[in-house]
Amino acid sequence: MSYQPIENYGIVGNLHTIALIGLNGSVDYMCFPHFDSPSVFARLLDDKKGGYYCISPEFDQMKQKQLYLPDTNVLLTRFLSADGVGEITDFMPVGLKEERKLIRRVTTIRGKVTYKLTCAPRFDYARDEHKARQTGPNEIVFHADGPNGLDVRLKADVPLQVRDNDATGEFTLAAGEIANFIIENADNENLPPDQLNEKVIKLMITTINYWKDWVSRSTYKGRWRETVNRSALVLKLLSSAEYGSIIAAPTFGLPETVGGKRNWDYRYTWIRDASFTVYSFIRLGYTKEAGAFMGWIEKLCRDIKGQERLGIMYSIDGNRQLEEHILDNFEGYKGSAPVRVGNDAYGQLQLDIYGELMDSVYLFNKYGEPISYDFWKNLEQQIEWLSRNWDQPDDGIWEVRGGRQKFLFSRLACWVAMDRAMKIAQARSFPRNGIWKEQRDKIYDSIFKDFWDEKKQAFMQYPGSETVDASCLLMPLFRFISPKDPRFLSTLKRVEDELVTDSLVYRYRPEIAAPDGFSSREGTFSMCTFWYVECLSRSGQLEKARFYFEKMLGYANHLGLYSEQLGFEGEHLGNFPQAFTHLGLISAALNLDQQFDDNRNKNINLDEI
């Protein structure tokens, strides 16, 4: 099989892990049982060695369609042919640990359809050998031989066979007939085959109701409800029910440039990305999810007592050691090597994380629940460290590996950290250090003095830089500067001239910006496009903002999902789906709604009512 486009996939998950399922009915990516566990299926990263789990009809010609049941993460894949119509319903039950499983329910809608099944797991990133053992006519157990040994059971209500240590099967269903398949930990309760259908129906109804109930709690009732709900469902899927942490994306190794070397592992919790996600959850009314992350952070702060600073990223359980290594046995997506697991960026200095974190804590304290005194004292320690260290060069929001700079965005976020810490202290009457205000004001003056280029009439990426950086679009979103301030409007114009192509936005111009340590060409950053839209709407350019926002919606895949970047032909690049893109969409949609509603109310003539 040749590689499918990244955008050809849908996702299902259970708040512990996620699987990617292609339009062709193949599970081509799944780490199990956790987000950051080694892969069991990874054909997306090596189409020969990675492993897959495919069920598809044996039609000579067919069309394929994929959709979610509305307001759920239950995925339907349809195969349409003149010879018949088949459908696979994929979902992961959302519940207790013992229900960690992937369920596939095959239904023939019309005609009489023969299906072929191949389940070819490749354990521990395809580094471990395994044995397949037939434990019943409808059941096969896979045992991985390596040190990370995992026993996985495939169970069905149709016959299965072992062939070359893989599971295979061929079965025919007439219209209205159904076959169920469960892949799970082998130590789960083993149901008799005649109880399988009843169990699957029960789990499917429970899962559908769970997601529909969750979506119904959203406070968003605006113009793009279906789109915003889908993005919220993605963010929820990226949240850990066990720990409260939030990962940046469920995948590793998907390239920012096909054939390039920027192939990172995003299955971890970045303080930045997760804090922005909390902001989205709070704005949508999901304070429980925000509170779960705050609980994770509070534990994290206790765990780092005595250490000099907060880490930029952690594993889902709060571990900071994420040493990066290369999987030499994988060729990478379409030959994009090296494939990395782990992420050495964990050791970088990124000062902006304090700003995003404190902004989310400020919002949670205001709209969720009051934070505890002990949590405040732990945060206070971090702000004390930041007040002494904000002026040093760092690696920045884009995690460049070509040397540190004094980045504009890092300064901006340090200002946010000081400002929000002061606001929390004032709102709660917490004692606060008088140095914070002094340092906050120094940062404010520094941004206008050191980063403003009079000739270019813009805030530049770093002092002396020749280019702007799309992260400057967050200046009004962080309420540092008015979106209608002449200095920001001229900066926005410079961003449009240098970084915007139609509605799509590059994060910076690498040929003249801070070197990132790599020479590969990258695509436009989808989250930057949504920042740009929000800046347009806040600055009063509403029609332009809505036009670009709705054009950008057209770059989503068939299910409304986005990866990190878009390539020259609109192809999705980078890890998929990415939280940052979806939370950017939510923020832009909410702001557009607010601006349009405010304008409509201003135009009402009360004398005519």
Side-chain angles (χ1 to χ4, degrees), residues 8-215:
N8 271 23
Y9 289 90
I11 63 168
V12 297
N14 59 1
L15 311 181
H16 301 285
T17 192
I18 281 175
L20 271 65
I21 302 167
L23 276 163
N24 62 350
S26 182
V27 180
D28 287 346
Y29 178 92
M30 185 175 76
C31 295
F32 191 80
H34 302 108
F35 295 117
D36 54 1
S37 297
S39 63
V40 175
F41 305 117
R43 182 156 68 170
L44 193 56
L45 295 162
D46 192 304
D47 66 347
K48 299 176 184 64
K49 303 176 190 172
Y52 67 98
Y53 172 22
C54 186
I55 304 174
S56 63
E58 295 189 305
F59 293 141
D60 291 332
Q61 291 184 332
M62 61 181 166
K63 295 180 292 184
Q64 296 128 317
K65 291 187 177 181
Q66 242 177 10
L67 65 148
Y68 284 109
L69 288 178
D71 291 338
T72 77
N73 283 310
V74 176
L75 182 68
L76 273 60
T77 305
R78 287 183 181 146
F79 306 92
L80 302 103
S81 165
D83 299 320
V85 176
E87 181 177 275
I88 303 176
T89 302
D90 284 297
F91 68 98
M92 288 187 184
V94 182
L96 301 175
K97 181 178 180 181
E98 59 267 22
E99 298 295 2
R100 294 188 193 181
K101 57 187 72 175
L102 171 64
I103 295 178
R104 316 199 73 187
R105 184 172 170 86
V106 182
T107 307
T108 292
I109 308 300
R110 293 192 179 97
K112 193 173 186 180
V113 181
T114 298
Y115 300 85
K116 182 178 180 181
L117 174 149
T118 303
C119 183
R122 299 294 182 265
F123 294 93
D124 193 20
Y125 307 111
R127 295 178 299 189
D128 287 353
E129 296 295 326
H130 74 274
K131 293 182 178 64
R133 179 167 53 95
Q134 189 105 31
T135 52
N138 302 352
E139 180 179 300
I140 293 171
V141 172
F142 302 95
H143 171 73
D145 296 331
N148 299 317
L150 182 66
D151 287 348
V152 172
R153 177 172 59 228
L154 175 64
K155 193 171 186 65
D157 46 20
V158 296
L160 301 170
Q161 298 84 39
V162 173
R163 182 177 299 163
D164 297 328
N165 277 320
D166 296 332
T168 63
E170 187 172 292
F171 57 97
T172 300
L173 302 176
E177 292 184 333
I178 294 167
N180 297 289
F181 303 85
I182 297 179
I183 192 161
E184 60 186 348
N185 276 325
D187 57 2
N188 281 10
E189 178 190 5
N190 195 359
L191 290 173
D194 60 352
Q195 295 181 23
L196 198 62
N197 188 56
E198 182 182 351
K199 177 72 169 178
V200 168
I201 292 172
K202 180 180 177 181
L203 289 173
M204 185 167 69
I205 292 172
T206 300
T207 302
I208 290 171
N209 289 341
Y210 174 92
W211 290 119
K212 285 186 175 291
D213 177 68
W214 188 82
V215 167

Side-chain angles (χ1 to χ4, degrees), residues 353-550:
I353 63 170
Y354 295 92
E356 290 104 356
L357 175 60
M358 292 307 298
D359 195 38
S360 66
V361 173
Y362 165 73
L363 291 170
F364 180 71
N365 182 74
K366 186 175 181 179
Y367 298 108
E369 297 176 2
I371 64 171
S372 70
Y373 172 78
D374 290 332
F375 188 20
W376 168 252
K377 295 302 289 184
N378 288 330
L379 291 170
E380 186 180 52
Q381 259 191 327
Q382 300 301 319
I383 300 302
E384 293 292 344
W385 181 90
L386 187 64
S387 69
R388 301 189 301 271
N389 290 277
W390 64 264
D391 195 33
Q392 59 179 302
D394 74 338
D395 299 291
I397 183 175
W398 306 126
E399 299 182 352
V400 296
R401 298 191 180 190
R404 293 177 175 177
Q405 296 284 353
K406 293 189 175 185
F407 289 108
L408 167 65
F409 182 70
S410 297
R411 295 297 170 277
L412 169 68
C414 288
W415 177 88
V416 172
M418 303 286 184
D419 183 72
R420 302 313 190 261
M422 291 171 59
K423 284 182 166 63
I424 294 169
Q426 182 175 358
R428 296 290 304 282
S429 298
F430 288 139
R432 61 184 185 273
N433 192 327
I435 294 175
W436 295 357
K437 182 180 185 304
E438 176 187 331
Q439 296 303 312
R440 182 196 68 172
D441 294 345
K442 276 187 179 179
I443 299 170
Y444 188 91
D445 290 337
S446 171
I447 290 175
F448 280 93
K449 175 185 173 185
D450 301 326
F451 293 87
W452 176 257
D453 187 309
E454 189 66 30
K455 182 178 178 182
K456 294 183 182 293
Q457 288 290 292
F459 292 101
M460 308 307 284
Q461 187 182 42
Y462 57 87
S465 172
E466 292 296 313
T467 185
V468 289
D469 178 327
S471 62
C472 72
L473 296 170
L474 287 168
M475 295 176 78
L477 277 57
F478 276 157
R479 292 172 173 77
F480 174 84
I481 193 171
S482 165
K484 297 181 181 179
D485 187 293
R487 291 201 189 209
F488 179 72
L489 290 175
S490 62
T491 300
L492 182 60
K493 178 66 167 61
R494 175 66 59 175
V495 168
E496 290 178 322
D497 291 343
E498 290 189 10
L499 304 179
V500 178
T501 167
D502 190 35
S503 60
L504 306 178
V505 182
Y506 291 95
R507 58 180 179 170
Y508 55 75
R509 293 172 60 188
E511 70 275 12
I512 59 173
D516 62 5
F518 297 89
S519 58
S520 57
R521 180 183 177 184
E522 66 180 26
T524 55
F525 263 60
S526 296
M527 62 181 173
C528 296
T529 296
F530 290 121
W531 294 347
Y532 174 52
V533 165
E534 189 163 350
C535 286
L536 290 174
S537 68
R538 287 174 180 263
S539 65
Q541 304 176 65
L542 284 181
E543 295 300 337
K544 183 177 180 181
R546 178 165 60 181
F547 179 62
Y548 281 169
F549 178 74
E550 292 181 337

